Amino acid sequence: MPLSPGDSPGFLLWHATLRWQRDIATALAPLGLTHVQFVLLACAWWLNTQDEHPNQLALARQAGTDVKMTSQVLRTLEHKGLIEREVDPADTRAKRLRVTDTGADLAPRAIAAVERADVRFFQPVPLDDAVALLGRLAHPET
């Protein structure tokens, strides 16, 4: 017997995800970033702060994004002056990603905006519970 929508974990997750995505989009709009632009910029910025200059594939893996879509979004971030692609001296076919000074200024502000939106969104649930559940759902093999 099928579950009613209100009893279906998948249906509830769908609605929660839609609400969360709207909240994140609203938080990022004043900064001129879409959610996926934010994720890629934030991941590249974080990796750069760890003295890593990833190529597109490594960034896509870090962010959990499709490689082709990552390439398209990186092109947009490059046009916005937030990321630069530099030829990898070890492999001239590959490009290393470096966040520009403008991107390095924007990334932490965007992260703070998203974290504020997350605090509001997850407020009804204890943080440790939310992190534990989402961690298990994101990485069921661990």
Side-chain angles (χ1 to χ4, degrees), residues 78-97:
E78 192 173 28
H79 289 337
K80 289 182 170 192
L82 303 174
I83 284 187
E84 291 179 345
R85 299 187 216 204
E86 302 167 340
V87 175
D88 183 347
D91 180 0
T92 56
R93 297 168 300 165
K95 304 274 187 177
R96 294 284 171 187
L97 302 169

Side-chain angles (χ1 to χ4, degrees), residues 4-22 121-122 130 133-138:
S4 69
D7 294 329
S8 169
F11 191 73
L12 293 170
L13 179 61
W14 169 250
H15 279 275
T17 300
L18 290 173
R19 196 180 115 234
W20 177 74
Q21 288 174 336
R22 280 192 302 271
F121 180 83
F122 289 105
L133 173 63
L134 295 170
R136 288 182 67 194
L137 293 174

Side-chain angles (χ1 to χ4, degrees), residues 9-64:
F11 191 73
L12 293 170
L13 179 61
W14 169 250
H15 279 275
T17 300
L18 290 173
R19 196 180 115 234
W20 177 74
Q21 288 174 336
R22 280 192 302 271
D23 291 353
I24 297 300
T26 299
L28 291 171
L31 300 173
L33 293 172
T34 66
H35 196 170
V36 71
Q37 289 170 359
F38 160 74
V39 169
L40 293 174
L41 176 64
C43 285
W45 175 79
W46 185 83
L47 289 167
N48 283 184
T49 66
Q50 306 302 303
D51 290 325
E52 294 181 41
H53 297 279
N55 61 25
Q56 191 171 289
L57 179 59
L59 183 63
R61 284 185 183 146
Q62 171 75 22

